[in-house]
Amino acid sequence: MNTDAKLLTAKINDLFTLCDKHCEPKFSGFLDGGEIAYIEDEIRFPYGYNTLVFGGYDGAERAMLGVFPEWQEARTEDFPLCAARFDAPKFRALGHRDYLGTLMSLGIDRSKTGDILTDEDGAYVFVCADIAEYVVRNINKIANIGVKGHIVDMESFVPPEIKTSERMCVCASLRLDAVVAAALKLSRSDTEKLISGGCVKVNHRETLDRSKRINTGDLLSVRNHGRFILKNTGNTTGKGRLHITVEKFV
């Protein structure tokens, strides 16, 4: 177990200890997909608690772990998080990195910030509730573009549709190397280098096995090449190759 894994394990175990001591829910900071996957795979939760992972909306990539006493229902509305809305002028498209860079320039720890959902008119930025007012009050420019911020009523929040592009391609099989090569239009040799170099994750888990079978619905992340989901598989060609459809995040 490396240092980061030991530290994460200790932090999660502390949540259960504090929940038991104070008889009230305890919450982690925002965790990324890899950390959540590690918790699911490697950490055994003690008996007698209710737990829930939530990041502000269904399908959030960055989310908190909530630990609740056995007698208390785990509810999303109890999570100490908020969505800050920033409206930006339409003449300049601001991206995820623009918003994240501004947050980091305020000295905010990454564990205090969740997903950033951009749309044509601005972005929703999820943050811990204890810094929400600070964030809205201190951010009036993103990449030198004036923005207006306010805290969103979470009860009526509807996340914007995530932008994706869909394409059909043909691959030799559902092996990891074959799917990545076909989906990203890479050579098999380049794909193998990416996999062996630890640049490919399946469902947020680093995967070095190029022969790993990919299933419908799996999320694949390739460093410097983006992320995509294997949406479905179709018929085979006359030469035995497989039609697949992938949905790439843009």
Side-chain angles (χ1 to χ4, degrees):
M1 184 185 298
N2 61 37
T3 302
D4 289 343
K6 288 180 180 179
L7 182 59
L8 177 58
T9 300
K11 287 181 177 180
I12 299 306
N13 288 335
D14 283 346
L15 292 180
F16 291 94
T17 301
L18 292 171
C19 178
D20 183 59
K21 179 179 180 180
H22 298 290
C23 297
E24 63 183 17
K26 296 296 177 182
F27 303 89
S28 71
F30 282 98
L31 305 163
D32 63 31
E35 291 171 322
I36 294 170
Y38 175 82
I39 291 169
E40 292 175 345
D41 294 346
E42 304 295 337
I43 299 179
R44 179 173 296 179
F45 293 166
Y47 178 78
Y49 302 86
N50 293 316
T51 60
L52 182 64
V53 174
F54 183 63
Y57 66 100
D58 290 341
E61 182 171 341
R62 293 181 61 82
M64 295 176 170
L65 170 65
V67 177
F68 297 76
E70 185 177 16
W71 46 266
Q72 184 171 347
E73 179 186 0
R75 306 186 307 169
T76 59
E77 53 264 42
D78 292 327
F79 278 67
L81 55 79
C82 291
R85 172 67 189 182
F86 292 97
D87 295 315
K90 292 187 177 181
F91 66 82
R92 166 70 186 276
L94 296 173
H96 182 280
R97 290 185 178 181
D98 296 315
Y99 290 94
L100 181 59
T102 300
L103 287 167
M104 297 300 99
S105 71
L106 293 178
I108 296 172
D109 188 272
R110 190 69 174 102
S111 67
K112 288 283 190 177
T113 64
D115 283 1
I116 298 172
L117 305 178
T118 60
D119 56 34
E120 294 180 352
D121 301 313
Y124 294 96
V125 179
F126 287 89
V127 297
C128 291
D130 60 350
I131 66 165
E133 291 285 356
Y134 173 81
V135 168
V136 170
R137 189 170 60 249
N138 285 277
I139 294 180
N140 49 49
K141 284 187 176 183
I142 305 286
N144 292 322
I145 301 298
V147 297
K148 294 182 179 179
H150 65 274
I151 297 175
V152 175
D153 178 6
M154 292 300 294
E155 291 186 2
S156 59
F157 172 72
V158 178
E161 184 176 350
I162 297 175
K163 298 178 182 178
T164 60
S165 63
E166 188 174 292
R167 63 180 296 261
M168 296 181 64
C169 47
V170 177
C171 61
S173 70
L174 291 179
R175 283 170 48 121
L176 174 62
D177 54 359
V179 172
V180 170
L184 301 180
K185 297 181 179 180
L186 298 173
S187 69
R188 289 290 287 270
S189 61
D190 286 341
T191 301
E192 289 172 7
K193 289 178 182 178
L194 288 169
I195 295 172
S196 62
C199 299
V200 178
K201 294 182 178 180
V202 179
N203 297 324
H204 304 293
R205 295 156 174 87
E206 182 180 295
T207 305
L208 301 177
D209 180 9
R210 66 186 187 184
S211 65
K212 177 180 175 63
R213 179 183 171 84
I214 303 303
N215 299 306
T216 301
D218 281 348
L219 170 67
L220 287 83
S221 307
V222 184
R223 191 180 303 162
N224 298 325
H225 292 275
R227 303 180 301 150
F228 67 91
I229 292 173
L230 176 60
K231 189 170 183 180
N232 57 54
T233 59
N235 297 326
T236 56
T237 68
K239 294 184 179 181
R241 295 172 65 83
L242 184 66
H243 288 283
I244 64 171
T245 303
V246 297
E247 190 172 36
K248 193 172 188 298
F249 295 88
V250 299

